[in-house]
Amino acid sequence: MRLRKSLVMLVYLLFVLVPIYSLVNMSFKSNREILGGLTLWPTAPTLDNYRVVFTEPTWYTSYLNSLSYVSMNMLISLLVALPAAYAFSRYRFLGDKHMFFWLLTNRMAPPAVFLLPFFQLYSAVGLFDTPIAVALAHCLFNVPLAVWILEGFMSSVPKEIDETAYIDGYTFPKFFIRIFLPMIRPGIGVTAFFCFMFSWVELLLARTLTSVDAKPIVAQMTRTVSASGIDWGVLAAAGVVALLPGIAVIYFVRNHVAKGFALGRV
């Protein structure tokens, strides 16, 4: 039985890691070698693809654009979702269940549904082709998910803690920041992780709401066709570099994510 489980795990790891290895392998090859056939490792390794990604403004600015709107989206989503989730977890009011369900329906809708309204609105107010436009558009999908996740964590915290803090003379902001938020730290880590995941890989809104100045990396990677064809090596190198922020986020919130999956409603 132990051998069978080990074999299943090995097959799963190969299934997951082979595409990543293939991407890294291609990033060190020239276009001629990539198109020449499949090889397990580069016959003539080159760093030219990475040199293009890190030196050409169209590439490194797209990374900075992506990092800027993803960071803004995570911050806005958490700032909006934290008080909203606290209200849903602590108070009962008319229509609370219906409002909670309505929030989740926004998350269930595909981004294409809101594409034209966002485009017309941001063009009218002058936000088109700016990072904040993409960040705000992604909030429509991340805020409901963040509220749903955080509400599950907050509901698991006994209400007696709130009452004890008020008896001890804590104001609500002081109680919320110093006592309550540290208690739901795993939930905040899980929420930040899912907000980052959606905002970093989402393509449709990010590509439609930007053109030149705020073009993100996911849009730049779809526009690598030139007169000589697709530069597969540069595209692979850009994909490898695009994996690094996700790996970094997972590393820093790994403990919170593990606790969140075990204790929360994820």
Side-chain angles (χ1 to χ4, degrees):
M1 179 62 70
R2 182 176 300 177
L3 179 61
R4 189 178 303 173
K5 290 182 179 179
S6 300
L7 288 176
V8 171
M9 182 60 66
L10 180 62
V11 171
Y12 173 75
L13 288 176
L14 288 175
F15 180 77
V16 173
L17 294 178
V18 164
I20 298 177
Y21 173 76
S22 177
L23 182 70
V24 176
N25 185 26
M26 288 175 56
S27 68
F28 291 102
K29 295 180 179 180
S30 63
N31 258 4
R32 179 177 298 179
E33 185 177 353
I34 293 173
L35 298 176
L38 178 65
T39 57
L40 295 179
W41 49 79
T43 56
T46 177
L47 294 175
D48 291 341
N49 299 322
Y50 288 96
R51 191 175 294 112
V52 171
V53 171
F54 286 111
T55 57
E56 287 194 5
T58 54
W59 282 106
Y60 65 75
T61 55
S62 65
Y63 279 105
L64 295 177
N65 290 334
S66 294
L67 289 173
S68 64
Y69 76 68
V70 168
S71 301
M72 285 189 289
N73 175 259
M74 288 174 58
L75 181 62
I76 296 172
S77 297
L78 286 173
L79 289 177
V80 173
L82 281 168
Y86 182 85
F88 279 116
S89 67
R90 288 297 190 264
Y91 304 112
R92 293 294 173 263
F93 51 89
L94 183 63
D96 55 346
K97 301 298 183 184
H98 299 288
M99 183 177 295
F100 197 70
F101 176 75
W102 174 77
L103 279 173
L104 289 178
T105 58
N106 288 338
R107 184 63 181 86
M108 298 172 188
V113 174
F114 304 98
L115 195 60
L116 182 59
F118 275 137
F119 180 80
Q120 290 183 330
L121 175 63
Y122 291 152
S123 298
V125 300
L127 288 179
F128 177 75
D129 199 20
T130 60
I132 188 63
V134 184
L136 292 176
H138 287 175
C139 284
L140 181 65
F141 302 92
N142 279 339
V143 169
L145 180 65
V147 172
W148 182 71
I149 294 174
L150 291 171
E151 193 272 340
F153 283 90
M154 293 180 179
S155 297
S156 64
V157 178
K159 294 183 179 180
E160 288 76 12
I161 294 178
D162 307 41
E163 298 169 357
T164 303
Y166 296 147
I167 293 174
D168 290 341
Y170 280 84
T171 60
F172 178 75
K174 188 177 179 181
F175 154 75
F176 193 74
I177 295 174
R178 292 190 178 183
I179 299 178
F180 196 76
L181 290 185
M183 299 182 68
I184 60 166
R185 195 179 305 164
I188 297 176
V190 171
T191 304
F193 170 73
F194 277 101
C195 290
F196 172 86
M197 269 205 323
F198 174 83
S199 193
W200 183 257
V201 304
E202 197 279 327
L203 172 63
L204 188 59
L205 290 172
R207 184 174 182 176
T208 305
L209 300 179
T210 60
S211 59
V212 178
D213 296 334
K215 183 168 59 176
I217 184 59
V218 289
Q220 177 64 27
M221 292 178 67
T222 63
R223 300 169 181 171
T224 57
V225 181
S226 62
S228 58
I230 299 177
D231 199 337
W232 296 105
V234 173
L235 190 60
V240 172
V241 178
L243 292 175
L244 299 180
I247 295 173
V249 169
I250 293 175
Y251 176 80
F252 286 113
V253 302
R254 64 190 186 282
N255 294 329
H256 297 317
V257 170
K259 292 179 182 178
F261 279 109
L263 302 176
R265 71 188 332 165
V266 180

